[in-house]
Amino acid sequence: MTSQHLPFRLLAVLVLSLWASLCTAKTLALTFDDGFNPGTQPDAAQWNAQILAALHTHQITAALFPSLARMGGTDGLGLVKAWAQAGHLVGNHTASHRSLADPKVSLDWFIADVQAADAAIRDLPTFTPMLRFPYLKEGDTQAKRDGMRAWMAKNSYRNAPVSIDASDWYYNIVYTAHLKAGDADKAGRVKQAYIRHLLNRAEYYDQLAYKVLGRSPAHVMLLHTNQINAAALPAVIAALTTSGWQVTSTRSAFQDPLYAQTPDTLPAGESIIWSLAKALDFPKLRYPAEDSVYEEPLLREAGLLP
Ligand SMILES: [Zn+2]
C-alpha cells in the first residue's frame, strides 16, 4: 500500500465505525409534560425558549403534552405555540390534570376533561391526537381503563405512553429550592445528580425491556417543562449521547409497536415496559415505579437536601 491510499483507508474505517455505532445505538425520544404558566412563573418564556433552543441546537424533534391546569388555562398557550412552530409534536395532557386512578374521577368526567383540552389545542399546526395520562395513571378499575381505551379507539386518539419514567419533577423542586436560597453550588451538584438519575433510569428500563421484549425498543422518556430542564437539557443530551444513546424524533419513536400494546394491569399505567413486566408477574417491581420517595434518601445521603 502506498502512502496516498492512507486517507482512503482512514475514511473507510471511519465510515464503517460510524455505521456500526448507528446500528448498535440505543435510541430514545424526549417528551415534555405540562407546559409553563406565565402567570405563576415569571421566567416561563425564558425557560421555554431555553428548552426549545437546546432541542434546536441538537436538531431534536420532541413532543409537548400541555395540561391547561398547569399553564394557567390558555395563558400558556402562546408558549405551547412556539413548540408547534418549531415542529415539535403537541399532544393532549387533559384540562385539569386529574388522575384517572383517583376513585373520585369518573370515566365520563375524565373524557370530558380530555375533550376540553382537545378543543383548546386542536388548531395548533402540529397537534396530534395522542393522550398522555396525568401521573401516567390509566385507571384504577377495569371499567375505567377499558372505557378510556374504547373511547380513544373510537375517537382516533392514541395513547402516548412512556418507556422511561423518571422523577425530574422532584429534582426540580430540590434544585429550585437551592437557587432560591442562593446556594448555586448545591444547585449545581443537584443538577449533576439529576443527570446521573436520568442515565440510571434509562439504563434500568432498557434492561427491563430486554427481559420483557427481548430487544431494546425506540424509547420514549418522560420529562417536564421546568427550570432544571431549562438549565440542564444541553448537559442531559450530551450525557445521553456519551452513554451510547441516540436521541431520535418522538414521532418516529411512537411508531414502535411497543406503544400500541395494552397491558392487563390494575391500577393501570406507569412506564409501558413496567406494565408489561407487571402483567407477566415479574418479581421485585416497585410501585409506584418512580417517585420522590426513592430519590429523597439518595439526595439526603449526598447532603443535597435543602
Ligand atoms: Zn403532568
Side-chain angles (χ1 to χ4, degrees):
M1 185 185 73
T2 61
S3 61
Q4 73 209 51
H5 288 127
L6 199 59
F8 298 105
R9 277 184 67 109
L10 277 175
L11 186 66
V13 167
L14 274 173
V15 167
L16 275 175
S17 62
L18 179 67
W19 177 249
S21 74
L22 283 175
C23 291
T24 56
K26 304 169 286 184
T27 65
L28 165 164
L30 302 177
T31 62
F32 295 82
D33 281 10
D34 292 359
F36 287 111
N37 183 345
T40 57
Q41 299 173 305
D43 296 319
Q46 186 199 323
W47 295 339
N48 200 59
Q50 279 176 273
I51 293 176
L52 289 174
L55 295 173
H56 179 77
T57 299
H58 293 89
Q59 296 182 295
I60 294 167
T61 309
L64 175 65
F65 293 92
S67 172
L68 301 185
R70 295 294 168 92
M71 44 190 261
T74 52
D75 286 0
L77 206 53
L79 299 180
V80 173
K81 259 184 204 153
W83 285 71
Q85 279 158 358
H88 302 291
L89 183 157
V90 174
N92 192 330
H93 193 39
T94 78
S96 308
H97 207 276
R98 297 279 304 274
S99 164
L100 189 57
D102 182 342
K104 293 190 287 291
V105 173
S106 72
L107 175 63
D108 287 348
W109 188 93
F110 190 83
I111 288 172
D113 202 46
V114 169
Q115 287 171 319
D118 183 291
I121 58 177
R122 174 163 283 276
D123 290 339
L124 293 172
T126 58
F127 173 77
T128 307
M130 294 187 82
L131 176 62
R132 169 66 51 79
F133 285 86
Y135 313 101
L136 304 178
K137 303 299 184 218
E138 300 179 23
D140 54 332
T141 66
Q142 190 177 342
K144 282 160 75 176
R145 180 195 72 190
D146 294 351
M148 203 55 215
R149 285 175 181 172
W151 182 89
M152 285 194 284
K154 195 174 161 207
N155 291 275
S156 306
Y157 249 86
R158 277 186 63 192
N159 191 5
V162 307
S163 62
I164 302 169
D165 190 6
S167 297
D168 69 323
W169 59 272
Y170 176 67
Y171 282 83
N172 182 59
I173 290 171
V174 177
Y175 174 76
T176 54
H178 288 310
L179 285 184
K180 271 194 193 117
D183 197 336
D185 173 60
K186 269 200 178 153
R189 286 162 61 201
V190 170
K191 195 170 102 172
Q192 294 310 315
Y194 167 56
I195 293 168
R196 287 194 297 274
H197 166 67
L198 290 185
L199 292 176
N200 175 284
R201 292 298 81 197
E203 195 55 35
Y204 168 76
Y205 285 103
D206 195 46
Q207 290 300 317
L208 193 57
Y210 269 108
K211 290 177 198 158
V212 176
L213 309 169
R215 68 184 177 97
S216 179
H219 283 280
V220 172
M221 179 182 257
L222 173 64
L223 297 172
H224 292 82
T225 49
N226 56 32
Q227 189 176 4
I228 199 168
N229 284 327
L233 194 55
V236 166
I237 294 167
L240 287 168
T241 307
T242 304
S243 301
W245 289 97
Q246 191 190 350
V247 184
T248 185
S249 102
T250 304
R251 270 187 206 87
S252 74
F254 274 130
Q255 300 301 314
D256 192 302
L258 166 65
Y259 302 103
Q261 295 216 40
T262 50
D264 185 11
T265 56
L266 285 172
E270 312 300 286
S271 146
I272 191 155
I273 293 171
W274 185 97
S275 293
L276 291 168
K278 186 74 184 169
L280 291 168
D281 274 330
F282 271 45
K284 294 183 196 159
L285 289 174
R286 63 189 193 185
Y287 186 86
E290 302 298 330
D291 201 1
S292 57
V293 294
Y294 311 123
E295 306 310 316
E296 195 182 330
L298 302 176
L299 289 178
R300 179 176 293 117
E301 200 180 327
L304 291 177
L305 285 189

